[in-house]
Amino acid sequence: MGNRLKWKVFAALSIGSLLIPGVNVVNADIDQVSIKPKTHVLKANSENVRWGNIGKGEAVLTVNSGDIVTVDAITHHSGDDYERMIKGDAGVEDIFHWTESEKTEADRGPGVHIMTGPIAVEGAEPGDVLEVKILDMKLRPNGNGEYAGKTYGSNVAANWGFLYGEMEEEPVTREVVTIYEMDSEGGTDYAKALYSYRWTPQTDPDGNVHPTIDYPGVVVDHTTVEENHNVLKDVRVPVRLHFGTMSVAPKEADIVDSVPPSYYGGNIDDWRVTEGATMYYPVSVPGALLSIGDPHAGQGDSELNGTAIETSVTGDVQIILHKKDKLDNKLKSLNFPLLENENEWVVHGFSYANHLEELGEDAQKEIFDKSSLDKAMKDAAHKTKAFLIRGMELTEDEAYSLMSVTTDFGVTQVVDGNWGVHAIIDKKLFGDAERSMTPLRSSFEQFGAKIEWEPNTKMVSILYNGNTLSAKIGETKAAFNGETVRLIAPIQLNAQKSAEVSEYFVDFYQAKLSKTN
């Protein structure tokens, strides 16, 4: 957010912004933007994760504002198919290690998700806002050579699903696991159902029997289930990688269940929290303490039967701290997780805006019996109205009218205890105020990038820090270091035949190009 004003200043001071070779550029404030962020790697292993807790805790990594973190995120549903989702992957084997005599984490709870972190941010204090840019997400290849080149995920029609106990076929209270297969290298952009099975009582290494899916990390004994390989034939499910759970630590409790989302983020389960998106979280504890996990490969709004396609991914995120005394109108008094992408603002509302505070001492238990879509809709509506009034400087009457005639409200999820409704605000409603365009050449050269232009093919290449982004004018697909990627928006030519992009585009790809490989 703070960089947006810089782009306007640079564009105003730049000379010769047309996309032609040999143009000289005058840079302003170059010392502030030329510092390359440090890249950290946070690998998946038992020392870098917590099971089911997004509360306060000792940081496994400390970063400075602007740093980039390559983070492994592992699904807690890996045990649904040990052969395809755990075996041969040393990091995942370490996390799930559980025998009669050893268990990597004795107390898995109070929630279920495997959360990588927490990550502390230098200088973060209550009242600040933490920005997290999702620069990249890739499927984690399985470690079993028998299934080389594939990644697998699990969807569970679970006891916490919205229609559990209301099915037409017997038994009406069944739990069904469906395993999906995907191409690890992204050669295909869809998932296909491989097989399904009904959950049967499973005995864990401690001798406890689990009649239902009630404890994370139980590895299913496939000799006790009947696999149905005739499932969803010829159906292709679009792969939309996203983080189901991303959170800063709340102030209200030290140990916090990862399942219900709230003002601090958490298990929002919005498929829009994906590559190209930016999340903003209100900081309420020193260091912010960011945790990332619950990766998904596909999910519809509502996450109706209990889960998405739960899988494992590796992602790159840039972490930026906004100090409370420098917040703009959109981030001042932010008290909910806010999403931004190239075209939209997305406001997240819940049955309880802050269940930890509103429901008292037993909040983390009571929330599962008190949620409703009515309350979530009301919360989302109030937050959206406030965002339009303060962030977009509308009157209350203007905001209320605009919400009714343009804002799409959707059911984010109805399975996470604190149910969610999101509101989508289209940036183009506000014209240049929310999606202003800027010259591509001057905007990228001002921080040291080199621009190459091939007139015959209309191909633009941006080179920086050993990375190269190449894209054809008007195309949505591009190449990043030779790998095919989807741009968050195509590069356009304006009336003067000069290449231009949005300020959000520049902000995002400066960060992506800044990663040290």
Side-chain angles (χ1 to χ4, degrees):
M1 297 284 291
N3 286 337
R4 308 292 164 78
L5 182 57
K6 291 180 186 176
W7 300 130
K8 293 177 181 178
V9 172
F10 288 131
L13 295 180
S14 297
I15 299 174
S17 60
L18 293 180
L19 184 61
I20 54 176
V23 175
N24 294 317
V25 177
V26 176
N27 292 322
D29 201 18
I30 191 67
D31 291 340
Q32 294 188 33
V33 297
S34 62
I35 300 174
K36 295 179 182 177
K38 184 176 181 180
T39 299
H40 308 263
V41 177
L42 200 50
K43 289 290 187 182
N45 57 54
S46 60
E47 294 183 356
N48 287 339
V49 303
R50 295 185 294 179
W51 282 81
N53 176 22
I54 53 177
K56 302 168 189 173
E58 184 176 352
V60 299
L61 174 68
T62 299
V63 303
N64 291 312
S65 178
D67 281 359
I68 295 169
V69 182
T70 296
V71 57
D72 287 341
I74 305 302
T75 177
H76 54 295
H77 278 279
S78 298
D80 293 342
D81 188 328
Y82 180 89
E83 294 294 316
R84 291 177 172 87
M85 299 175 71
I86 298 178
K87 186 176 180 179
D89 188 319
V92 182
E93 286 180 341
D94 179 36
I95 292 168
F96 276 81
H97 180 69
W98 185 6
T99 65
E100 292 181 5
S101 58
E102 290 182 316
K103 189 179 182 183
T104 52
E105 187 163 343
D107 183 19
R108 297 179 180 179
V112 298
H113 306 100
I114 298 172
M115 300 304 298
T116 306
I119 302 168
V121 183
E122 287 283 2
E125 300 172 309
D128 297 340
V129 170
L130 196 69
E131 174 183 350
V132 183
K133 275 187 175 66
I134 304 175
L135 306 178
D136 191 37
M137 294 187 76
K138 288 186 174 62
L139 289 166
R140 182 182 180 91
N142 86 90
N144 188 340
E146 185 177 348
Y147 307 107
K150 301 296 182 182
T151 298
Y152 296 89
S154 172
N155 167 253
V156 182
N159 60 78
W160 59 88
F162 195 67
L163 297 180
Y164 183 71
E166 299 179 24
M167 305 300 284
E168 296 181 14
E169 301 171 6
E170 294 291 341
V172 296
T173 56
R174 64 188 180 272
E175 293 179 292
V176 179
V177 177
T178 303
I179 301 298
Y180 285 82
E181 181 180 81
M182 295 157 284
D183 184 340
S184 301
E185 299 301 319
T188 57
D189 59 358
Y190 59 85
K192 294 197 70 173
L194 190 64
Y195 69 93
S196 67
Y197 61 87
R198 291 184 182 178
W199 181 271
T200 59
Q202 297 295 311
T203 303
D204 68 32
D206 293 339
N208 300 312
V209 178
H210 301 271
T212 63
I213 303 171
D214 63 354
Y215 189 78
V218 173
V219 174
V220 174
D221 179 357
H222 276 245
T223 66
T224 68
V225 299
E226 182 178 347
E227 296 181 1
N228 171 22
H229 287 261
N230 185 28
V231 56
L232 290 173
K233 289 296 184 183
D234 301 320
V235 174
R236 296 182 176 185
V237 178
V239 169
R240 300 192 295 200
L241 299 181
H242 58 282
F243 291 117
T245 307
M246 192 156 58
S247 171
V248 293
K251 63 183 178 182
E252 287 80 7
D254 290 344
I255 298 175
V256 179
D257 190 331
S258 65
V259 175
S262 193
Y263 75 93
Y264 45 80
N267 191 26
I268 297 175
D269 280 332
D270 184 348
W271 59 263
R272 298 161 188 83
V273 185
T274 185
E275 180 178 337
T278 300
M279 290 296 297
Y280 301 93
Y281 301 100
V283 175
S284 63
V285 302
L289 300 180
L290 176 70
S291 297
I292 299 173
D294 189 27
H296 295 167
Q299 180 204 303
D301 285 334
S302 82
E303 201 180 15
L304 195 71
N305 79 345
T307 78
I309 298 179
E310 311 286 323
T311 192
S312 297
V313 307
T314 297
D316 294 333
V317 299
Q318 185 183 41
I319 300 170
I320 299 171
L321 180 65
H322 297 271
K323 297 301 293 179
K324 57 186 173 183
D325 60 345
K326 295 183 179 179
L327 298 177
D328 69 9
N329 288 340
K330 294 185 183 67
L331 298 186
K332 282 182 181 177
S333 304
L334 185 71
N335 60 356
F336 61 88
L338 174 67
L339 182 148
E340 180 187 12
N341 58 36
E342 171 78 5
N343 299 308
E344 302 163 338
W345 292 97
V346 182
V347 174
H348 292 98
F350 309 104
S351 297
Y352 290 86
N354 182 352
H355 68 286
L356 296 176
E357 180 180 75
E358 296 174 72
L359 297 180
E361 188 174 335
D362 295 325
Q364 298 194 57
K365 294 180 180 179
E366 291 188 9
I367 185 61
F368 291 96
D369 297 321
K370 292 183 176 294
S371 288
S372 78
L373 283 176
D374 289 348
K375 290 181 178 179
M377 180 67 195
K378 185 80 76 170
D379 184 51
H382 279 302
K383 287 173 177 173
T384 302
K385 180 161 63 70
F387 179 79
L388 290 171
I389 292 170
R390 294 174 180 83
M392 306 300 181
E393 300 181 354
L394 302 183
T395 68
E396 186 171 38
D397 289 341
E398 289 173 331
Y400 197 27
S401 175
L402 195 64
M403 288 163 58
S404 188
V405 300
T406 68
T407 304
D408 289 326
F409 287 84
V411 178
T412 323
Q413 52 76 24
V414 289
V415 292
D416 295 338
N418 200 8
W419 293 355
V421 167
H422 57 268
I424 300 174
I425 302 168
D426 196 327
K427 287 181 177 180
K428 68 183 178 184
L429 293 170
F430 303 92
D432 288 346
E434 287 304 304
R435 196 173 179 273
S436 58
M437 305 300 285
T438 187
L440 181 145
R441 177 176 287 278
S442 58
S443 295
F444 280 94
E445 285 188 338
Q446 56 82 23
F447 63 81
K450 180 182 177 183
I451 307 298
E452 294 181 351
W453 167 239
E454 299 176 11
N456 294 334
T457 60
K458 293 187 178 180
M459 184 72 69
V460 183
S461 293
I462 308 170
L463 298 83
Y464 183 67
N465 197 37
N467 299 305
T468 302
L469 175 68
S470 298
K472 192 173 182 179
I473 298 292
E475 297 288 335
T476 57
K477 287 189 176 180
F480 188 81
N481 293 339
E483 178 184 340
T484 300
V485 297
R486 183 172 292 276
L487 289 176
I488 62 172
I491 300 170
Q492 303 173 7
L493 288 181
N494 60 23
Q496 291 75 41
K497 303 301 182 182
S498 172
E500 63 179 16
V501 291
S502 71
E503 293 175 352
Y504 187 91
F505 184 105
V506 178
D507 226 9
F508 180 82
Y509 286 107
Q510 178 187 356
K512 190 172 177 71
L513 289 160
S514 295
K515 182 194 172 187
T516 301
N517 296 304

